């Protein structure tokens, strides 16, 4: 085994001290003032300062994976393969359902309305005709039109705010900023936490300053657990918001058990369980009461599992709002 | 310290057994037949089967970083920050100098002629006017025109072959394929190894099959050294080719010493030494005879350090060809 876990006897709960220590040791967010301004402007524009009712529902969709730097002047880092496809697709369906969306995404991952483009759309979709004409290559013309016009449309109308992150440090600081800025919206806010957040990290202060040298022996690394922020998000940052987290496993035998554990441990309203190999076909929506399997409609072309998934979550969110307000 | 090296007393030289073991344990390259065909077609098209003289010089530029999977059904991996900017810029200057280029690059990194585009060129450069018109946004129009037309031009003329990789396993297998296919070209082939190749990896067989579980303790990982393929490239794969490798450090105090070591240890013709913070301004070209500092021309707008660097290397390569043929 390349990796092994340490003492299982260690404290299960995330203590406030652990979280304070994580944030204290994190490199400060470079553009935090700019993010604060963007958030304020976005919420004002959507009249969400004192929102209620269907028109004012907002969701923060997190998407893509976080990196864990292994060196302070970062050359190497641990990453994960998350493409951001789930987050991008879900964002489209939330917008369609009338939600305002904050898309907190990993730089370079999949963007809303761009899912059916080729791998390098910029170089693959266009053709140079002459000095003043650039043409869209035929097989891609529909996809390009949708990507550019639909994306432009929601950004210009101010229904979509996109905030990029790279490291685990950036992600958790930004999530805290978004969450506290949405606290005033109470149950009308939703968190749809589809980002693949690193479980382990190297605390900034114990990190090598310079590039790790490749000598002649093996490299031994010791990473510590990232404090579980889900519990803090629920308890402190946005206690009335509707919270959905994801559980991804490659081993389906432990998937539902782990989803149940996440539900009770972090007090999520919903945990969406998905297995790596079938995640675009089927997911299981796990709540305290039930486990509902949600499948992609295979009878129609171009249908996504996110279509029925978001419909179901929007219904559950509506019930949460009614319950919270009564 | 997050990382420490093991025994410095271990064997310094890469043994054939080590290399065989690396390749034997690597997951097989999925598209190796396709790559073989593409290489053959590309060399035939450029009449490089029995090339000599200026017109038939060819360079394999490697670019971007390799990943190291930590799990077999890969969720997590170690990566490095390499943008591929150096490799993309150098490719443009090699093409300008009349070389045919094999661009062996990390998926998603910087592409030739695309360096002056914004971060997400597809969404940022175009504007939707109506059903049949897409416009290039003004500040980007020159950059877009250059990217699309120049890129299209060299690909269509068959002067540029692009081969993408992701993992360290893919990269080294593909490098071996390219190198052995260029062996017949003797001194007319050049290897410009700008890719940031992982130093440490987890052997496939000792890798966790499923996603590593985050229990409650720390994660201890042990990585072993990637065998140094540079020596094998020089000695076996393409013994007459002109070979240039790169040394990047964040600590300038050890940079030139490490470049000298690489030069003698792997029998490179040139090692290009660069320090992380100034790498786009200055590099040092290290050979057995001398160390030449090469700087970007700051008096002109839009000049790259790769411009004088490639000029110098092209001269040195010409001397190598003459020396080898006499």
């Amino acid at each position: 085994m390349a990796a092994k876990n340490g003492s299982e006897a260690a404290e299960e709960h995330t203590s406030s001290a652990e979280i304070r220590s994580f944030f204290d040791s994190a490199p400060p967010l470079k553009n935090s003032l700019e993010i604060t301004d963007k958030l304020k402007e976005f919420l004002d524009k959507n009249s969400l300062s004192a929102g209620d009712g269907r028109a004012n529902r907002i969701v923060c969709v997190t998407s893509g994976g976080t990196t864990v730097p292994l060196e302070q002047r970062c050359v190497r880092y641990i990453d994960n393969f998350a493409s951001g496809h789930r987050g991008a697709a879900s964002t489209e369906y939330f917008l369609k359902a009338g939600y305002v969306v904050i898309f907190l995404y990993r730089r370079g991952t999949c963007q809303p309305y761009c899912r059916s483009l080729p791998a390098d759309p910029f170089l693959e979709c266009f053709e140079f005709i002459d000095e003043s004409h650039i043409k869209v290559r035929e097989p891609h013309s529909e996809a390009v039109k949708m990507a550019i016009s639909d994306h432009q449309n929601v950004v210009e109308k101010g229904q979509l705010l996109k905030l990029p992150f790279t490291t685990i440090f950036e992600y958790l600081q930004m999530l805290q900023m978004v969450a506290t800025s949405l606290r005033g919206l109470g149950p009308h806010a939703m968190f749809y936490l589809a980002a693949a957040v690193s479980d382990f990290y190297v605390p900034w202060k114990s990190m090598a300053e310079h590039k790790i040298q490749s000598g002649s022996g093996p490299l031994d690394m010791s990473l510590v657990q990232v404090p579980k922020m889900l519990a803090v998000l629920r308890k402190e940052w946005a206690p009335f918001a509707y919270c959905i987290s994801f559980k991804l496993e490659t081993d389906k035998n432990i998937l539902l058990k782990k989803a149940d554990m996440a539900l009770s441990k972090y007090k999520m309203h919903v945990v969406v369980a998905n297995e790596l190999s079938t995640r675009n076909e089927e997911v299981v929506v796990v709540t305290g009461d039930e486990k509902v399997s949600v499948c992609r409609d295979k009878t129609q072309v171009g249908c996504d599992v996110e279509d029925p998934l978001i419909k179901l979550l929007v219904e559950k969110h509506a019930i949460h709002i009614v319950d919270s307000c009564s």
Side-chain angles (χ1 to χ4, degrees), chain A:
Chain A
M1 282 286 282
K4 61 180 188 344
N5 288 317
S7 159
E8 292 286 334
E11 186 63 60
E12 277 276 321
H13 295 288
T14 302
S15 69
S16 315
E18 246 183 289
I19 289 179
R20 216 169 24 242
S21 146
F22 179 89
F23 278 120
D24 284 351
S25 79
L29 205 56
K30 278 184 192 124
N31 53 347
S32 70
L33 284 178
E34 193 195 323
I35 296 169
T36 309
D37 288 349
K38 274 190 181 169
L39 275 169
K40 192 178 174 316
E41 190 191 343
F42 184 71
L43 296 180
D44 285 349
K45 189 165 180 178
N46 286 290
S47 314
L48 279 160
S49 313
D52 79 345
R54 186 179 165 82
N56 286 328
R57 286 166 309 163
I58 184 167
V59 59
C60 171
V61 173
T62 69
S63 188
T66 61
T67 68
V68 171
L70 298 177
E71 296 143 329
Q72 279 192 11
R73 302 190 195 185
C74 180
V75 173
R76 297 188 185 86
Y77 54 88
I78 296 182
D79 201 351
N80 69 65
F81 87 111
S83 66
H85 188 279
R86 172 88 74 213
S90 303
T91 294
E92 295 172 29
Y93 289 106
F94 276 121
L95 286 163
K96 199 173 163 190
Y99 276 68
V100 165
V101 182
I102 297 174
F103 183 61
L104 186 58
Y105 72 101
R106 164 70 180 277
R107 271 187 193 82
T109 55
C110 190
Q111 298 294 297
Y113 307 108
C114 294
R115 295 177 289 131
S116 49
L117 293 171
D120 188 348
F122 185 83
L123 290 176
E124 291 174 56
C125 290
F126 300 99
E127 203 169 346
F128 188 78
I129 306 294
D130 61 41
E131 277 306 300
S132 54
H133 292 88
I134 286 170
K135 199 182 132 190
V136 181
R137 289 184 200 268
E138 204 33 68
H140 305 301
S141 75
E142 269 312 302
V144 167
K145 208 184 295 173
M146 184 178 98
I148 296 179
S149 69
D150 289 3
H151 184 272
Q152 185 177 317
N153 190 30
V154 292
V155 171
E156 273 173 12
K157 279 195 188 152
Q159 294 165 333
L160 173 63
L161 175 66
K162 304 207 298 182
L163 299 173
F165 63 83
T166 302
T167 69
I168 176 76
F169 302 113
E170 288 169 356
Y171 171 77
L172 287 176
Q173 289 177 84
M174 288 167 79
L175 181 63
Q176 184 182 29
M177 289 171 79
V178 173
T180 51
S181 79
L182 296 186
R183 180 157 35 188
L185 301 173
H188 295 88
M190 185 200 282
F191 286 84
Y192 181 88
L193 305 162
V197 182
S198 318
D199 295 315
F200 300 98
Y201 79 115
V202 183
W204 194 251
K205 283 170 189 165
S206 70
M207 209 179 282
E209 186 194 351
H210 286 294
K211 188 181 166 193
I212 297 166
Q213 292 301 312
S214 66
S216 41
L219 175 75
D220 294 315
M221 287 194 304
S222 184
L223 287 85
V224 303
Q225 274 211 291
V226 173
K228 299 292 181 190
M229 297 287 176
L230 290 183
V232 189
L233 171 72
R234 275 289 288 131
K235 213 170 130 188
E236 294 173 26
W237 297 347
F240 303 106
Y242 195 64
C243 289
I244 297 149
S245 72
F246 284 73
K247 188 49 94 180
L248 173 80
E249 292 294 339
T250 59
D251 182 354
K252 73 175 172 189
N253 297 317
I254 59 173
L255 178 59
L256 290 180
K257 195 176 144 235
K258 298 215 68 158
D260 272 332
M261 275 167 56
L263 196 74
S264 64
K265 194 165 160 189
Y266 310 123
K267 308 274 185 293
M268 290 290 106
H269 296 96
V270 175
V271 174
V272 180
N274 51 139
E275 197 203 325
L276 188 62
S277 61
T278 58
R279 69 193 186 285
N280 294 322
E281 298 297 324
E282 184 188 0
V283 297
V284 180
V285 172
V286 179
T287 60
D289 306 330
E290 55 184 10
K291 290 181 176 60
V292 180
S293 169
V294 176
C295 296
R296 184 171 76 81
D297 181 355
K298 287 171 193 136
T299 62
Q300 288 189 38
V301 179
C303 276
D304 307 302
V305 68
E306 288 81 6
D307 186 356
L309 172 63
I310 303 306
K311 281 200 182 96
L312 179 61
L313 295 175
V314 164
E315 281 169 21
K316 288 185 177 290
H317 186 202
I319 296 169
H320 171 76
I321 295 174
V322 172
D323 287 353
S324 303
C325 298
S326 64

